């Protein structure tokens, strides 16, 4: 009755992503909360400062990028915590499949759930903050390139702290410094676009960072998970 | 009075009351909406300054009213949940929340659409706009909180507490936003006030649509509540019988 | 079912040593688990049973000594070892928001197998009809059963079970005992801990951690 | 051997506060993390936008207030969670002493640990952001009046969500909208001070809000805790 | 020690009814607990023991029926009730980062009493010398003992204990049993659940939730 039939690596990754989506469907909060946080936090800034179009436009790139960054970081809490608490993480670490890809697909699933909505909604908020049209597309592209990096880096921190209770702020303190380069390049792209300067180079840089993150951080994540489970 | 309240507290009674009211409601609502919309869109004269696009008001203002009304109703239900532990009150509160959120969204959307021709932009950080946005967030918060609980009773009471906290806060929020807005810039809330100076031909249809919206609201409320009732009472006698009867009819 | 011939050496521990917050849990621990053999770890609370099992599974790495899987060092044979071992820990490894079937299906997928007959597996633990019930609606015992049903779905030569009987009622316990002894009879190797007196249909060797400590002290 | 000797309400509150401080001493993270988050998050903004002094000065009040607000909100996670998980909360709810004051003193203790350092450090960051000197004192006063309100409101949300796992972002979505008035008045005070206008009235308003929060929110907190424990 | 005369009625439950996710846990449950009486709640896992205890403590409010404390409705007599009852739940209510003494001291303070002789209380559970050991350094059993030591420090007429014997070794169990029967003898009232066979020095009445359900079904 047990089946020796083995499925390929691809289907393993698909199954993992599908599970993440399934879970998100079951508890919509995991998708809605990051998005809501993003929107609310962005609106806090006009409320706390001037609302002249010129002023808003200048702060818009920074505000949107910083809040997106915080939203992604906070969303990470749901990445490994549940699996750690109910013991699924142990089972994952004991799977004969290459963990590199299992972790990668988990991260991918999380990105789809937590980040994609943010990227999609970013233009709306950008317009509310009177960001010049030229900046919009650049903003979206930079977020699309940047958020995966944020998730990949953040996942390392999350994997390290998942064993500790009340890890929210600790995580922030650990990984926010690591987020700085992404933030600088991301906002740099938008600013460049607004002042219509070329920003292809910056995008290329971010792409390189993304490639690096994809290839390295899963290794770090796996190592960190082993430590946390230990 | 208390007797009546008590009855309203029983899901079955509510369910059957709903069944009795629905046909009438449908009739009245459709009538109001048809008259209001046809009159408003076809016969009412174009506005002297805003041309034809002022007609959005026929959906904008009523939804704005709903946004407020829904929350007050939720607040009353929440009080009933916490003080008298009336299950029905929670069912209604749960049913209202998404409607209120939708109404707020509708108003935001219609408002922004309206803004494009009138203000030349679909969004300004005007006091009323901002507080509407915040109101939408508060609705969402309540909805999300409920979805986060597994146990129904806990969810009911938790949402009730949050709603009441929200009620205390909303006046403060609106005031603060007003104040903040007047500090920063004034004139942007144009159109909101002077619109009331419009001729009656414009306003009468607005009343029709307005009441039509209220009708729609109650229909949605009743339908959602009835679903919720059937779900929660599925193990009780009368629901089983009801289902059996429906089954035979179908 | 395990593709092993009884008597073949499976898991071997040589001179294991482990301490936790500088208290020695066990030292000079040697044992050899053959195919078709069952070993029960005994010991009072906190004597180190769970720790030992996790060390053997490779989930815990602060120990000294060597562990061999089918003759070669386990570090070398990780993948084969993982493919061949089924571990059940203190936690059921069940996601409460997923249904029983979804949990089992993902478990198989994560190990790179097509899911076998899930209904059958659940039925074997008298959970027929529970396929699509979300697990947070199940009692602790039922959740344990879902978790146990996984061992019907993965082809493993070695079962490592940490207190598999917790939260099971009398009937469940005896059913599980039957299943375990069947597994051992067809050549599986079994390593388990439990605080309750076993009544298995097969011989069960015992390793008592308390006794070992006592000797060490004496 | 049991002692019938009963102590007054005052000493109960003192004991509760002392316990909070003790716990903070035992795990300094509870104190350091909010502070670190505050510093790091504030520094993110200059990094993400222009750095002309004039520009910084205009955004300074908003940035400092918003980040302080987020830091306070995130710090709340450690307010009831531990007590909930180890069962101390049940015992608290079964104490014969009036819960109103027990909760109030817990909140006070948390404020001392998480907010006071932020208030003390705020001027430094304000100077880094080139906030005109006139604004500094106003900033400190507004924070001193505002943060207790934030903690009191946030504690309600925390009490509602303490029973749920992964409540970090959920909490944010629930209470950030309620934080808006505090934010508006807080930044209003600072802006007024910078443009040397009178802001005594605003402070009075915040004082009134604080009084309201102190008198009402403990009731809501207790109710919410009962629900969570239930 | 409780200032009550034996035989006086303390806690009374009339026609209690409770259901959880529409499964009835108990109904028409009446009992009367007198001073100097001990009652043991029995029932299989998930039968509702903990739920009942929490309802009686006022920690859980979704039930129907009435509960009286010394004759008057418990809602009316909350403060007196809380001052007179000591509840021990599934969780030890011990903060791991604080030392034993600090935990006990705060417990007394939170109930508005000066802490009694803490060393003595700890010694009564053979934890002499552990006053200042932070609790995360203690084994599960020792933590339970710290938690139990609280009952030596608060003057209570009614002890409500949910599985007080968990994680205790043989010696600890018998010591605790002795303590409980002493408490009952001097007029305390005791309500406890446990899965292990009691050997108390006093009579213990039993309420079996499973049996009640069976009747109800029949
Ligand atoms: C996103 C954009 C907008 C939002 C969120 C919004 C919000 C609101 C709200 C909340 C109300 C209800 C006021 C109350 O009941 O006290 C309202 C009423 C009204 N709005 Fe808007 N509005 C928006 C855009 C506009 C635009 C562009 C116009 C026309 C130029 C407009 C004209 C009106 C009028 C005439 C009323 C009814 C009269 C009144 O209550 O003052 N609104 N709107
Ligand atoms: N996370 C930890 N950190 C430090 N020491 C630990 C930790 N977990 C357990 N220990 C110590 O390791 C020892 C062995 O723990 P272990 O869980 O292996 O015991 P066990 O035999 O499984 O007990 P049980 O029968 O209750 O399962 C215990 O004495 C405990 O003090
Ligand atoms: N949080 C919860 N939500 C919904 N149902 C619950 C919850 N906790 C327990 N239950 C249900 O209530 C019933 C009674 O649980 P309870 O903990 O009282 O049992 P118990 O008699 O204490 O069991 P045990 O002997 O294991 O302590 C269980 O069948 C369980 O399914
Ligand atoms: Mg163990
Ligand atoms: Mg129990």
């Amino acid at each position: 009755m047990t089946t020796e039939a083995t499925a390929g690596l691809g289907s393993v990754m698909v199954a993992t992503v599908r599970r993440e989506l399934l879970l998100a469907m079951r508890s919509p909060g995991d998708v809605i909360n990051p998005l809501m946080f993003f929107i609310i936090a962005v609106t806090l800034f006009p409320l706390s400062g001037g609302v002249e179009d010129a002023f808003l436009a200048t702060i818009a790139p920074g505000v949107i990028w910083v809040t997106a960054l915080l939203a992604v970081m906070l969303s990470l809490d749901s990445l490994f915590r549940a699996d750690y608490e109910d013991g699924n993480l142990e089972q994952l670490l004991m799977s004969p499949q290459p963990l590199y890809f299992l972790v990668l697909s988990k991260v991918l699933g999380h990105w789809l759930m937590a980040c994609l909505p943010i990227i999609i909604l970013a233009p709306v908020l950008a317009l509310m903050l009177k960001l010049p049209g030229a900046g919009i597309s650049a903003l979206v592209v930079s977020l699309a390139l940047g958020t995966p990096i944020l998730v990949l880096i953040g996942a390392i921190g999350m994997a390290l702290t998942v064993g500790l209770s009340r890890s929210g702020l600790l995580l922030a303190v650990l990984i926010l410094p690591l987020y700085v380069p992404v933030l600088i390049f991301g906002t740099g792209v938008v600013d460049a676009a607004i002042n219509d300067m070329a920003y292809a180079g910056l995008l290329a840089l971010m792409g390189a960072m993304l490639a690096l993150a994809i290839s390295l951080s899963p290794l770090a994540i796996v190592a960190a998970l082993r430590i946390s489970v230990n | 009075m208390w007797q009546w309240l008590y009855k309203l507290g029983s899901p079955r009674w509510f369910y059957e009351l709903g069944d009795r009211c629905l046909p009438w409601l449908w009739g009245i609502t459709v009538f109001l909406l048809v008259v209001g919309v046809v009159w408003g869109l076809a016969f009412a004269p174009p506005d002297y300054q805003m041309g034809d696009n002022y007609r959005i008001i026929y959906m904008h203002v009523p939804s704005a009213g709903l946004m407020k009304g829904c929350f007050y109703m939720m607040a009353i239900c929440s009080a009933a949940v916490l003080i008298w532990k009336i299950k029905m009150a929670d069912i209604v509160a749960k049913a209202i929340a998404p409607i209120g959120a939708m109404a707020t969204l509708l108003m935001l959307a219609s408002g922004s659409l309206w803004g494009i021709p009138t203000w030349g932009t679909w969004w300004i950080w005007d006091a009323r706009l901002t507080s509407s946005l915040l109101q939408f967030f508060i609705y969402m918060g309540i909805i999300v909180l409920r979805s986060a609980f597994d146990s129904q009773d806990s969810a009911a009471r938790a949402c009730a507490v949050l709603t009441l906290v929200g009620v205390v806060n909303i006046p403060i929020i609106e005031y603060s936003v007003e104040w903040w807005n007047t500090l920063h810039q004034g004139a942007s809330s144009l159109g909101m006030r002077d619109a009331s100076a419009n001729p009656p031909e414009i306003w009468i249809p607005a009343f029709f649509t307005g009441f039509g919206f209220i009708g729609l609201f109650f229909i949605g409320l009743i339908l959602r509540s009835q679903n919720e009732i059937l779900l929660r009472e599925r193990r009780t006698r009368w629901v089983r019988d009801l289902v059996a009867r429906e089954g035979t009819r179908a | 079912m395990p593709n092993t011939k009884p008597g073949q050496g499976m898991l071997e521990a040589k001179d294991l040593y482990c301490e936790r917050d500088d208290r020695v849990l066990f030292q000079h621990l040697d044992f050899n688990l053959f195919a078709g053999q069952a070993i029960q770890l005994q010991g009072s609370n906190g004597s180190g049973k769970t720790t030992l099992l996790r060390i053997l599974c490779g989930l815990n790495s602060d120990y000294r000594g060597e562990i061999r899987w089918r003759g070669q060092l386990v570090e070398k044979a990780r993948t084969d070892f993982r493919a061949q071992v089924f571990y059940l820990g203190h936690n059921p490894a069940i996601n409460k928001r997923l249904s029983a079937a979804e949990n089992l299906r993902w478990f198989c997928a994560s190990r790179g197998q097509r899911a076998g007959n899930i209904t059958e597996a659940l039925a074997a633990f008298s959970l027929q009809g529970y396929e699509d019930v979300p697990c947070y609606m199940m009692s602790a015992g039922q959740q344990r059963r879902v978790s146990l049903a996984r061992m019907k779905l993965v082809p493993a030569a070695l079962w490592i079970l940490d207190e598999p009987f917790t939260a099971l009622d009398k009937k469940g316990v005896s059913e599980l005992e039957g299943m375990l002894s069947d597994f051992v009879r067809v050549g599986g190797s079994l390593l388990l801990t439990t605080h309750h007196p076993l009544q298995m249909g097969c011989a069960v060797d015992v390793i008592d951690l308390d006794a070992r400590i006592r000797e060490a002290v004496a």
Side-chain angles (χ1 to χ4, degrees), chain A, chain B, chain C:
Chain A
M1 72 176 285
T2 60
T3 67
E4 305 281 349
T6 57
L9 188 56
S11 64
V12 176
M13 295 182 69
V14 173
T16 316
V17 175
R18 201 196 293 110
R19 173 169 183 259
E20 293 293 307
L21 306 193
L22 209 59
L23 281 170
M25 271 169 44
R26 293 292 156 77
S27 64
D30 289 357
V31 184
I32 300 175
N33 291 349
L35 193 59
M36 289 299 295
F37 174 85
F38 179 56
I39 306 174
I40 300 176
V42 166
T43 48
L44 288 184
F45 286 93
L47 287 170
S48 67
V51 290
E52 303 73 30
D53 294 3
F55 172 74
L56 284 177
T58 39
I59 64 166
V63 165
I64 291 183
W65 250 100
V66 170
T67 30
L69 182 147
L70 290 176
V72 172
M73 185 196 73
L74 293 173
S75 76
L76 288 169
D77 194 39
S78 68
L79 181 50
F80 296 121
R81 167 113 27 240
D83 289 338
Y84 174 82
E85 279 163 1
D86 65 20
N88 262 311
L89 204 50
E90 294 172 353
Q91 295 296 342
L92 201 68
L93 291 178
M94 288 190 63
S95 152
Q97 293 296 319
L99 287 170
Y100 181 96
F101 294 100
L102 279 171
V103 166
L104 200 56
S105 35
K106 258 189 95 67
V107 171
L108 173 64
H110 185 81
W111 181 79
L112 288 173
M113 286 297 93
C115 300
L116 211 49
I118 290 181
I119 298 176
I120 293 170
L121 210 78
V124 182
L125 292 168
L127 289 173
M128 286 171 76
L129 293 186
K130 311 301 180 197
L131 185 74
I136 303 284
S137 56
L139 177 69
V140 173
V141 178
S142 64
L143 282 173
L145 276 176
T147 46
I149 311 180
L150 297 181
V151 176
L152 283 162
I153 298 179
I156 304 175
M158 194 57 222
L160 277 173
T161 56
V162 68
L164 318 167
S165 63
R166 302 178 287 98
S167 57
L169 267 172
L170 178 58
L171 181 69
V173 174
L174 286 183
I175 65 176
L176 278 186
L178 305 179
Y179 278 1
V180 168
V182 186
L183 180 67
I184 291 178
F185 288 129
T187 49
V189 168
V190 184
D191 288 332
I194 298 177
N195 318 325
D196 44 35
M197 306 187 301
Y199 56 86
L202 280 174
L203 287 182
L205 257 173
M206 291 184 80
M209 284 167 65
L210 178 55
L212 195 68
I214 290 180
S215 48
L216 292 189
S217 67
L219 304 174
I221 297 173
V222 172
L225 286 177
R226 290 209 177 283
I227 296 168
S228 294
V229 164
N230 200 326
Chain B
M1 172 58 190
W2 286 112
Q3 178 58 18
W4 186 78
L5 247 183
Y6 169 78
K7 267 195 175 161
L8 202 58
S10 110
R12 178 181 187 173
W13 192 80
F14 187 98
Y15 185 92
E16 282 153 5
L17 179 74
D19 271 348
R20 261 181 270 114
C21 298
L22 267 180
W24 297 94
L25 263 173
W26 273 117
I28 302 173
T29 309
V30 171
F31 168 78
L32 286 170
L33 283 180
V34 169
V35 173
V37 169
V38 172
W39 186 344
L41 295 191
F43 299 106
D47 180 70
Y48 59 94
Q49 65 181 73
M50 285 191 270
D52 273 338
N53 45 45
Y54 78 87
R55 302 184 192 278
I56 295 180
I57 203 171
Y58 297 133
M59 100 179 303
H60 176 73
V61 179
S63 49
L66 269 189
M67 170 189 80
K68 295 207 161 110
C70 285
F71 204 85
Y72 293 136
M73 282 187 70
M74 277 174 70
I76 297 167
C77 294
S78 305
V81 169
L82 288 180
I83 300 167
W84 298 298
K85 295 202 166 78
I86 304 178
K87 281 207 163 47
M88 197 53 228
D90 175 54
I91 295 180
V92 175
K94 180 177 181 179
I96 296 178
I99 303 179
M102 288 307 299
T104 315
L105 209 56
L106 198 65
M107 182 201 56
L108 285 164
S110 59
S112 354
L113 276 180
W114 203 352
I116 294 167
T118 47
W119 303 338
T121 168
W122 59 272
W123 184 264
I124 51 173
W125 293 97
D126 160 86
R128 196 185 261 167
L129 275 57
T130 311
S131 54
S132 316
L133 195 62
L134 291 169
Q135 174 74 63
F136 176 68
F137 295 153
I138 292 177
Y139 273 121
M140 287 307 291
I142 294 171
I143 295 172
V144 175
L145 179 63
R146 188 180 285 274
S147 77
F149 280 89
D150 287 342
S151 142
Q152 218 168 55
D153 311 350
S154 316
R157 269 173 273 165
C159 292
V161 170
L162 185 61
T163 313
L164 292 183
V165 174
V167 166
V168 177
N169 270 271
I170 280 173
I172 304 180
I173 292 179
E174 298 224 328
Y175 168 78
S176 63
V177 174
E178 274 298 338
W179 178 87
W180 158 78
N181 173 249
T182 44
L183 177 80
H184 286 306
Q185 96 282 18
S188 63
S189 60
L190 47 84
M192 301 269 208
R193 292 276 166 243
D194 59 26
S196 42
N198 283 312
E201 301 83 352
I202 288 180
W203 277 105
I204 295 162
F207 281 119
F208 277 93
T209 48
F211 285 106
F213 260 70
I214 295 177
L216 273 183
F217 162 73
F218 275 106
I219 291 173
L221 174 59
I222 291 176
L223 289 178
R224 286 184 50 82
S225 316
Q226 284 186 326
N227 286 344
E228 190 66 21
I229 291 173
L230 291 185
L231 198 69
R232 293 194 189 185
E233 308 266 300
R234 61 188 178 282
R235 281 183 183 64
T236 61
R237 190 63 190 272
W238 68 273
V239 173
R240 287 228 191 77
D241 302 347
L242 190 77
V243 175
R245 251 183 285 122
E246 297 293 326
T248 51
R249 202 179 302 160
Chain C
M1 291 294 99
N3 48 0
T4 54
K5 42 189 174 334
Q8 168 190 1
M10 302 298 286
L11 188 68
E12 184 181 5
K14 280 220 193 91
D15 189 20
L16 285 189
Y17 169 91
C18 170
E19 65 176 26
R20 230 160 173 182
D21 16 83
D22 36 62
R23 187 165 63 76
V24 176
L25 292 181
F26 45 79
Q27 53 191 342
H28 311 306
L29 178 64
D30 310 84
F31 68 82
N32 201 333
L33 178 59
F34 297 97
Q37 181 190 16
I39 296 185
Q40 174 184 9
L41 279 184
Q42 280 184 350
S44 57
N45 285 349
S47 58
K49 301 182 295 297
T50 301
T51 310
L52 176 55
L53 293 190
R54 293 173 60 83
I55 286 175
L56 294 172
C57 290
L59 291 173
N60 184 336
S61 58
D62 35 21
Y63 67 97
R64 274 186 263 125
E66 81 180 37
I67 306 173
R68 295 184 164 279
W69 172 247
R70 291 181 159 168
Q72 67 208 115
L73 281 175
V74 76
E75 296 79 20
K76 302 265 180 315
R78 273 268 171 260
T79 323
D80 174 55
F81 175 71
R82 292 204 184 123
Q84 290 299 322
V85 65
F86 169 77
Y87 168 70
L88 179 82
H90 271 303
N91 311 21
I94 293 299
N95 187 310
K96 290 211 169 54
R97 284 177 289 159
L98 295 178
S99 74
E102 286 162 346
N103 268 299
L104 295 181
R105 221 173 280 120
W106 185 71
F107 176 71
C108 295
S110 73
R111 292 177 62 97
Q113 307 164 357
R114 279 198 196 63
N117 186 332
I118 285 177
T119 327
E120 230 174 71
L122 285 172
F125 291 89
S126 48
L127 281 181
Q128 47 278 81
Y130 278 85
E131 289 79 1
D132 302 331
V133 178
C135 290
Y136 68 82
M137 280 190 172
M138 297 185 180
S139 82
Q142 290 165 321
Q143 286 181 22
R144 282 303 283 196
R145 287 164 187 269
V146 176
S147 168
L148 285 163
R150 293 175 305 165
M151 57 191 194
K152 287 281 180 198
L153 293 172
V154 298
L158 167 60
W159 288 356
I160 298 184
L161 313 177
D162 197 348
E163 321 235 344
F165 300 102
T166 34
L168 293 186
D169 53 28
K170 291 246 171 311
K171 183 161 149 299
V173 169
S174 54
E175 282 172 0
L176 181 56
E177 283 171 338
M179 233 168 274
L180 295 182
S181 28
D182 295 346
F183 173 68
V184 172
R185 255 191 241 93
V186 297
S189 357
L190 174 65
L191 182 57
L192 82 167
T193 78
T194 171
H195 287 297
H196 103 115
L198 281 174
Q199 283 132 17
M200 304 256 293
C202 64
V204 178
D205 308 340
V206 170
I207 298 178
D208 186 335
L209 292 178
D210 295 343
R212 297 179 41 74
I213 291 296
R214 260 181 260 109
E215 292 159 18
V217 173

